Amino acid sequence: MTNDQHPDTLAATALGWIDRETDAMAAPLRPSTSFLRDPAHLDRTGRKFTRDDNPSYLQAEALINALEGGAGCLLFSSGMAAITAVFQRLMPGDHVILPVQVYSGLRDWLEHHGKRWGLEVSYLPDYTPATIEAAIIPGKTKIVWMETPSNPTWTVSDIAAIVNVAHKAEAIVGIDNTVSTPILTQPIRHGADLVLHSGSKYLNGHGDLIAGAAVVAPGREDLLADMKTQRNHYGAILGSFEAWLLLRGMRTLALRVRAQSASALKIAKFLENHPAVVEVLYPGLPSHAGHDIALRQMAGGFGGMLSFCVAGGETAAKAVAARVGVIRQAISFGSTETVIEHRAGMEGPDSPTPRDLLRISVGLENIDDLIGDLGQALEVVITQEEKRA
Ligand code: PLP
């Protein structure tokens, strides 16, 4: 293994693996569900059935693990499967702490299944070491969770400072690193115990598969073993072809994420000066509350996700999203094409997201095409304002 190489090299070469049998430089696809036993009924490879152990996962797991600086990685059938595997380890009465602004699927799961199982959940509007310390219930708080930057306001949290507070209370720190990717932030190097991914987003990068991954920090191999048993029991396993596609997508991860970050910064600056925009939420802007932490914690860019609030409120925001042309109105993120979304509308009536907010996932299109498209879409707000005047 070549963990001392630059992440760009690790990703581009997929750790330099060669198929031993054929010398093929691209990974083989291994769809077999069962593995041969010898006449003495022994499994020569240690494998019986792919729900326990799929050799198609090995290269993708090793690459994600190397990029994150972990002690081991597991692929799952989706980001949600990887994330819920962490929370399903908990016992009734255990307590978890999360920011209010967190991936809405996790909030939904905790509200429906987590609470039914007896988990106590605290959502904090302001996610700082001090507020987390105040929310910790000694002996009961088991997980301190965060995304950084966090969906959809891109709040940035200080990982090392939060780890410090959580570890004093013997709570695990789990970080959903889907948005930042290991190209920009490596949470384990800041002390996190666990890193989770929706591989459906930047890791794959082409909007054509659903996958998840969990990586544990050195010293937390116990978590990995437990989650592997769970993956087997609940059957949240990825298909062999999806694992193969994920590995192929990750070969261009570094290039994609840097290009998307550079374009996102240009779009954020354009929007910041636009009269139809009330606020731009992007950690790369000095005006963003998390900019200083992002400068320390992120390297090589601030990510491809940004949000902005439209003058005229929800109706105006929806009108802008309906007028884009090059950009498409769609859910999800991290693919090659740019998408825009009225996030509160997608999250439903209980959403804590501002109603005038639009979220953009920046793709790989020409930057002038993207800015031109946003400019023409925002004209609808200017026209409405003029009509009112
Ligand atoms: N984490 C974040 C930050 C997400 O945005 C999502 C999905 O949108 C998930 C996890 C869940 O991932 P998946 O859709 O692969 O289950």
Side-chain angles (χ1 to χ4, degrees), residues 77-81 83 103 147 151 176 178-179 197-201 210-212 332-333 343 359:
S77 52
S78 66
M80 271 305 281
I83 292 170
Y103 169 54
E147 295 168 31
N151 220 343
D176 181 333
T178 303
V179 168
H197 279 281
S198 166
S200 330
K201 316 293 194 279
I210 299 281
S332 201
F333 60 91
R343 196 63 197 159
R359 183 183 90 171

mmCIF file of all heavy atoms in Angstrom, residues 77-81 83 103 147 151 176 178-179 197-201 210-212 332-333 343 359, ligand 1:
data_model
loop_
_atom_site.group_PDB
_atom_site.id
_atom_site.type_symbol
_atom_site.label_atom_id
_atom_site.label_comp_id
_atom_site.label_asym_id
_atom_site.label_seq_id
_atom_site.Cartn_x
_atom_site.Cartn_y
_atom_site.Cartn_z
ATOM 1 N N SER A 77 -24.707 -0.208 0.853
ATOM 2 C CA SER A 77 -25.581 -0.064 -0.310
ATOM 3 C C SER A 77 -25.993 1.381 -0.569
ATOM 4 O O SER A 77 -26.501 1.701 -1.636
ATOM 5 C CB SER A 77 -26.840 -0.915 -0.119
ATOM 6 O OG SER A 77 -27.426 -0.602 1.130
ATOM 7 N N SER A 78 -25.825 2.263 0.434
ATOM 8 C CA SER A 78 -26.137 3.687 0.250
ATOM 9 C C SER A 78 -25.474 4.460 1.381
ATOM 10 O O SER A 78 -25.030 3.864 2.382
ATOM 11 C CB SER A 78 -27.654 3.920 0.305
ATOM 12 O OG SER A 78 -28.140 3.637 1.605
ATOM 13 N N GLY A 79 -25.446 5.789 1.229
ATOM 14 C CA GLY A 79 -24.947 6.629 2.324
ATOM 15 C C GLY A 79 -25.810 6.438 3.559
ATOM 16 O O GLY A 79 -25.308 6.359 4.681
ATOM 17 N N MET A 80 -27.118 6.369 3.371
ATOM 18 C CA MET A 80 -28.030 6.191 4.503
ATOM 19 C C MET A 80 -27.755 4.874 5.229
ATOM 20 O O MET A 80 -27.821 4.806 6.457
ATOM 21 C CB MET A 80 -29.491 6.228 4.034
ATOM 22 C CG MET A 80 -30.094 7.611 4.019
ATOM 23 S SD MET A 80 -29.990 8.495 5.598
ATOM 24 C CE MET A 80 -31.331 7.769 6.513
ATOM 25 N N ALA A 81 -27.438 3.818 4.466
ATOM 26 C CA ALA A 81 -27.156 2.524 5.101
ATOM 27 C C ALA A 81 -25.887 2.627 5.946
ATOM 28 O O ALA A 81 -25.819 2.077 7.054
ATOM 29 C CB ALA A 81 -27.020 1.437 4.043
ATOM 30 N N ILE A 83 -24.658 5.389 7.333
ATOM 31 C CA ILE A 83 -24.903 6.278 8.475
ATOM 32 C C ILE A 83 -25.767 5.587 9.527
ATOM 33 O O ILE A 83 -25.461 5.619 10.726
ATOM 34 C CB ILE A 83 -25.575 7.589 7.987
ATOM 35 C CG1 ILE A 83 -24.578 8.392 7.156
ATOM 36 C CG2 ILE A 83 -26.094 8.410 9.154
ATOM 37 C CD1 ILE A 83 -25.191 9.572 6.425
ATOM 38 N N TYR A 103 -28.135 16.652 7.163
ATOM 39 C CA TYR A 103 -28.819 15.977 6.061
ATOM 40 C C TYR A 103 -30.212 15.520 6.519
ATOM 41 O O TYR A 103 -30.355 14.800 7.504
ATOM 42 C CB TYR A 103 -27.973 14.801 5.563
ATOM 43 C CG TYR A 103 -28.726 13.921 4.617
ATOM 44 C CD1 TYR A 103 -29.339 14.451 3.486
ATOM 45 C CD2 TYR A 103 -28.851 12.559 4.856
ATOM 46 C CE1 TYR A 103 -30.068 13.659 2.630
ATOM 47 C CE2 TYR A 103 -29.570 11.757 3.993
ATOM 48 C CZ TYR A 103 -30.181 12.320 2.883
ATOM 49 O OH TYR A 103 -30.903 11.531 2.023
ATOM 50 N N GLU A 147 -21.681 17.268 9.918
ATOM 51 C CA GLU A 147 -21.226 17.402 8.527
ATOM 52 C C GLU A 147 -20.479 18.726 8.524
ATOM 53 O O GLU A 147 -20.917 19.664 9.170
ATOM 54 C CB GLU A 147 -22.400 17.579 7.572
ATOM 55 C CG GLU A 147 -23.324 16.423 7.457
ATOM 56 C CD GLU A 147 -24.607 16.837 6.711
ATOM 57 O OE1 GLU A 147 -24.566 17.734 5.835
ATOM 58 O OE2 GLU A 147 -25.647 16.272 7.039
ATOM 59 N N ASN A 151 -24.968 20.812 5.200
ATOM 60 C CA ASN A 151 -26.123 20.958 4.333
ATOM 61 C C ASN A 151 -27.267 21.730 4.988
ATOM 62 O O ASN A 151 -27.655 21.339 6.083
ATOM 63 C CB ASN A 151 -26.611 19.532 4.113
ATOM 64 C CG ASN A 151 -27.066 19.251 2.730
ATOM 65 O OD1 ASN A 151 -27.334 20.144 1.951
ATOM 66 N ND2 ASN A 151 -27.195 17.984 2.441
ATOM 67 N N ASP A 176 -19.878 13.123 8.645
ATOM 68 C CA ASP A 176 -20.325 12.869 7.289
ATOM 69 C C ASP A 176 -19.498 13.779 6.383
ATOM 70 O O ASP A 176 -19.674 14.998 6.372
ATOM 71 C CB ASP A 176 -21.826 13.174 7.194
ATOM 72 C CG ASP A 176 -22.382 12.896 5.806
ATOM 73 O OD1 ASP A 176 -21.609 12.971 4.831
ATOM 74 O OD2 ASP A 176 -23.585 12.625 5.698
ATOM 75 N N THR A 178 -19.269 13.703 3.113
ATOM 76 C CA THR A 178 -19.738 13.617 1.726
ATOM 77 C C THR A 178 -19.469 14.899 0.947
ATOM 78 O O THR A 178 -19.041 14.864 -0.206
ATOM 79 C CB THR A 178 -21.260 13.336 1.716
ATOM 80 O OG1 THR A 178 -21.510 12.142 2.444
ATOM 81 C CG2 THR A 178 -21.814 13.204 0.319
ATOM 82 N N VAL A 179 -19.731 16.049 1.585
ATOM 83 C CA VAL A 179 -19.660 17.332 0.877
ATOM 84 C C VAL A 179 -18.209 17.759 0.658
ATOM 85 O O VAL A 179 -17.832 18.216 -0.416
ATOM 86 C CB VAL A 179 -20.446 18.402 1.668
ATOM 87 C CG1 VAL A 179 -20.160 19.799 1.146
ATOM 88 C CG2 VAL A 179 -21.939 18.096 1.584
ATOM 89 N N HIS A 197 -19.669 8.403 4.270
ATOM 90 C CA HIS A 197 -19.854 8.995 2.933
ATOM 91 C C HIS A 197 -21.117 8.502 2.273
ATOM 92 O O HIS A 197 -21.414 7.299 2.350
ATOM 93 C CB HIS A 197 -18.702 8.599 1.997
ATOM 94 C CG HIS A 197 -17.488 9.418 2.176
ATOM 95 N ND1 HIS A 197 -17.376 10.672 1.644
ATOM 96 C CD2 HIS A 197 -16.341 9.176 2.841
ATOM 97 C CE1 HIS A 197 -16.196 11.175 1.959
ATOM 98 N NE2 HIS A 197 -15.553 10.297 2.697
ATOM 99 N N SER A 198 -21.781 9.408 1.579
ATOM 100 C CA SER A 198 -22.657 8.978 0.520
ATOM 101 C C SER A 198 -21.767 8.922 -0.715
ATOM 102 O O SER A 198 -21.364 9.963 -1.248
ATOM 103 C CB SER A 198 -23.803 9.975 0.303
ATOM 104 O OG SER A 198 -24.407 9.654 -0.936
ATOM 105 N N GLY A 199 -21.444 7.718 -1.148
ATOM 106 C CA GLY A 199 -20.612 7.547 -2.349
ATOM 107 C C GLY A 199 -21.377 7.904 -3.611
ATOM 108 O O GLY A 199 -20.811 8.025 -4.697
ATOM 109 N N SER A 200 -22.699 8.114 -3.434
ATOM 110 C CA SER A 200 -23.566 8.490 -4.553
ATOM 111 C C SER A 200 -23.221 9.885 -5.076
ATOM 112 O O SER A 200 -23.670 10.258 -6.161
ATOM 113 C CB SER A 200 -25.032 8.504 -4.100
ATOM 114 O OG SER A 200 -25.284 7.569 -3.075
ATOM 115 N N LYS A 201 -22.481 10.666 -4.298
ATOM 116 C CA LYS A 201 -22.218 12.064 -4.648
ATOM 117 C C LYS A 201 -20.821 12.193 -5.276
ATOM 118 O O LYS A 201 -20.593 11.641 -6.341
ATOM 119 C CB LYS A 201 -22.378 12.941 -3.407
ATOM 120 C CG LYS A 201 -23.622 12.625 -2.558
ATOM 121 C CD LYS A 201 -24.901 12.958 -3.306
ATOM 122 C CE LYS A 201 -26.133 12.988 -2.442
ATOM 123 N NZ LYS A 201 -26.767 11.723 -2.118
ATOM 124 N N ILE A 210 -25.902 4.572 -6.394
ATOM 125 C CA ILE A 210 -26.111 4.844 -4.974
ATOM 126 C C ILE A 210 -25.152 3.932 -4.214
ATOM 127 O O ILE A 210 -25.116 2.724 -4.458
ATOM 128 C CB ILE A 210 -27.571 4.511 -4.557
ATOM 129 C CG1 ILE A 210 -28.577 5.354 -5.324
ATOM 130 C CG2 ILE A 210 -27.778 4.650 -3.047
ATOM 131 C CD1 ILE A 210 -28.748 6.756 -4.836
ATOM 132 N N ALA A 211 -24.365 4.540 -3.325
ATOM 133 C CA ALA A 211 -23.409 3.754 -2.534
ATOM 134 C C ALA A 211 -23.088 4.510 -1.260
ATOM 135 O O ALA A 211 -23.310 5.724 -1.176
ATOM 136 C CB ALA A 211 -22.121 3.525 -3.332
ATOM 137 N N GLY A 212 -22.566 3.799 -0.274
ATOM 138 C CA GLY A 212 -22.138 4.452 0.964
ATOM 139 C C GLY A 212 -20.841 3.838 1.445
ATOM 140 O O GLY A 212 -20.453 2.746 1.011
ATOM 141 N N SER A 332 -30.044 16.004 -5.233
ATOM 142 C CA SER A 332 -28.731 15.345 -5.128
ATOM 143 C C SER A 332 -27.611 16.283 -5.571
ATOM 144 O O SER A 332 -27.864 17.435 -5.956
ATOM 145 C CB SER A 332 -28.689 14.026 -5.893
ATOM 146 O OG SER A 332 -27.633 13.232 -5.373
ATOM 147 N N PHE A 333 -26.398 15.796 -5.472
ATOM 148 C CA PHE A 333 -25.255 16.669 -5.782
ATOM 149 C C PHE A 333 -24.003 15.853 -6.075
ATOM 150 O O PHE A 333 -24.004 14.628 -5.956
ATOM 151 C CB PHE A 333 -25.021 17.666 -4.644
ATOM 152 C CG PHE A 333 -24.717 17.069 -3.286
ATOM 153 C CD1 PHE A 333 -23.407 16.818 -2.901
ATOM 154 C CD2 PHE A 333 -25.730 16.796 -2.377
ATOM 155 C CE1 PHE A 333 -23.122 16.299 -1.646
ATOM 156 C CE2 PHE A 333 -25.456 16.271 -1.123
ATOM 157 C CZ PHE A 333 -24.142 16.023 -0.752
ATOM 158 N N ARG A 343 -34.547 23.946 -1.510
ATOM 159 C CA ARG A 343 -34.273 22.896 -0.526
ATOM 160 C C ARG A 343 -35.423 22.712 0.478
ATOM 161 O O ARG A 343 -35.794 21.580 0.798
ATOM 162 C CB ARG A 343 -32.973 23.270 0.189
ATOM 163 C CG ARG A 343 -32.321 22.180 0.960
ATOM 164 C CD ARG A 343 -31.878 21.013 0.103
ATOM 165 N NE ARG A 343 -31.628 19.877 0.962
ATOM 166 C CZ ARG A 343 -31.618 18.618 0.588
ATOM 167 N NH1 ARG A 343 -31.817 18.292 -0.663
ATOM 168 N NH2 ARG A 343 -31.393 17.668 1.442
ATOM 169 N N ARG A 359 -30.263 25.890 -3.319
ATOM 170 C CA ARG A 359 -28.981 25.192 -3.161
ATOM 171 C C ARG A 359 -28.449 24.819 -4.541
ATOM 172 O O ARG A 359 -29.203 24.354 -5.389
ATOM 173 C CB ARG A 359 -29.211 23.932 -2.323
ATOM 174 C CG ARG A 359 -27.944 23.174 -2.035
ATOM 175 C CD ARG A 359 -28.236 21.892 -1.269
ATOM 176 N NE ARG A 359 -28.461 20.784 -2.174
ATOM 177 C CZ ARG A 359 -28.572 19.511 -1.795
ATOM 178 N NH1 ARG A 359 -28.531 19.204 -0.523
ATOM 179 N NH2 ARG A 359 -28.759 18.552 -2.681
HETATM 180 N N1 PLP B 1 -25.080 12.473 3.590
HETATM 181 C C1 PLP B 1 -25.365 13.597 2.931
HETATM 182 C C2 PLP B 1 -24.646 14.856 3.287
HETATM 183 C C3 PLP B 1 -26.334 13.589 1.916
HETATM 184 O O1 PLP B 1 -26.640 14.723 1.282
HETATM 185 C C4 PLP B 1 -26.973 12.370 1.591
HETATM 186 C C5 PLP B 1 -27.977 12.286 0.509
HETATM 187 O O2 PLP B 1 -28.360 13.255 -0.102
HETATM 188 C C6 PLP B 1 -26.660 11.235 2.325
HETATM 189 C C7 PLP B 1 -25.686 11.308 3.290
HETATM 190 C C8 PLP B 1 -27.355 9.913 2.043
HETATM 191 O O3 PLP B 1 -26.730 9.276 0.995
HETATM 192 P P1 PLP B 1 -27.466 8.251 -0.031
HETATM 193 O O4 PLP B 1 -28.396 9.035 -0.862
HETATM 194 O O5 PLP B 1 -26.316 7.649 -0.762
HETATM 195 O O6 PLP B 1 -28.171 7.246 0.829
#
